[in-house]
Amino acid sequence: MALIESLPPRPLEASELTSLNRSDAFELVVSIESEEPARGLLFATASWVKGVAYDDRQGWTVVDTVELDEETARIDGLQACEEAVRSFHDDGNEE
């Protein structure tokens, strides 16, 4: 997947998140954690939201994708993807 392949093979620093937000490819990129480096990310465009998690063994993984439409608002997609990323990490898929 191009999204995963474009990420470095490690968690992201704040400056890298800022660069992703400045790109034309995404409307929003945020970390779900308040501390750095970021191991859980939410990517959003006009048509979808993706939850992406980092694991030391597997690297970056897309753990959920929510298609946005008239019935599914972006906030709902962000919440669902955030929950999926947190669940991924809670299941022991990290350090």
Side-chain angles (χ1 to χ4, degrees):
M1 165 174 239
L3 171 63
I4 297 300
E5 293 168 357
S6 68
L7 297 174
R10 57 175 168 65
L12 298 184
E13 300 297 329
S15 61
E16 293 168 308
L17 285 173
T18 301
S19 293
L20 285 170
N21 272 300
R22 289 183 180 151
S23 85
D24 291 335
F26 310 107
E27 292 183 1
L28 177 70
V29 181
V30 294
S31 171
I32 66 163
E33 303 105 357
S34 57
E35 66 274 349
E36 287 185 54
R39 301 175 72 84
L41 304 173
L42 301 176
F43 290 82
T45 68
S47 59
W48 53 257
V49 175
K50 293 185 184 290
V52 179
Y54 183 82
D55 167 81
D56 290 331
R57 295 175 305 256
Q58 301 173 34
W60 292 104
T61 302
V62 175
V63 295
D64 196 10
T65 299
V66 175
E67 299 296 328
L68 304 178
D69 55 30
E70 293 175 4
E71 297 176 16
T72 307
R74 178 180 286 171
I75 188 68
D76 297 327
L78 290 168
Q79 290 171 339
C81 288
E82 179 178 357
E83 185 177 315
V85 171
R86 290 190 188 282
S87 178
F88 178 86
H89 284 161
D90 289 345
D91 287 344
N93 295 306
E94 61 181 299
E95 296 181 88

